[in-house]
Amino acid sequence: MTLDAFLLLGSALFAVGLFGALSQQSVVMLMMGLELMLNGVIVAVAAFWYFVAPAQPDGQVLLLVVITAMTVEMAMGFAVVTLLFRTKDADVTDMAAEFKQ
C-alpha cells in the first residue's frame, strides 16, 4: 500500500467519525464518532511515520502518546456518561443541557 492509500483511509475514518459525532444525539454514539476521528488521525500519523522517517522513533512515541490520551479520554467519558445515566437517567446530549440549571 502507498502513503496515499493510508491517507485516504485515515481521511475516510475521520469523515465517518465527524458525521457520526455531528448527527447523533446519544452521548455514547457521539463518543464513538470522536473515537473514529482519532483513529483516522492515528492512521495518518502512522502512515507518515512509516513512509517518511521509519528509522526515527519519534513517530512511534507520538502514536503511543495519542493512543494513551485517546484511551484515557474514552474511559473518563464513559465514566461520566455512566454516572449521568445512573443519577439523572439522561443518555442524550439534549438532556445534558438541563444540568446547568
Side-chain angles (χ1 to χ4, degrees), residues 27-47:
V27 177
V28 174
M29 294 300 289
L30 174 73
M31 292 179 65
M32 289 177 69
L34 292 175
E35 191 165 340
L36 266 179
M37 290 170 60
L38 284 174
N39 283 331
V41 171
I42 288 171
V43 166
V45 169

Side-chain angles (χ1 to χ4, degrees), residues 64-79:
L64 286 175
V65 169
V66 170
I67 290 172
T68 303
M70 182 178 75
T71 304
V72 170
E73 174 200 350
M74 288 300 145
M76 293 297 293
F78 280 118

Side-chain angles (χ1 to χ4, degrees), residues 2-3 6 13 24 28 30 45 52 56 65 69 74-75 77 82 88:
T2 63
L3 177 62
F6 281 110
L13 281 173
Q24 298 295 322
V28 174
L30 174 73
V45 169
V52 174
Q56 298 177 351
V65 169
M74 288 300 145
T82 302
K88 303 286 184 178

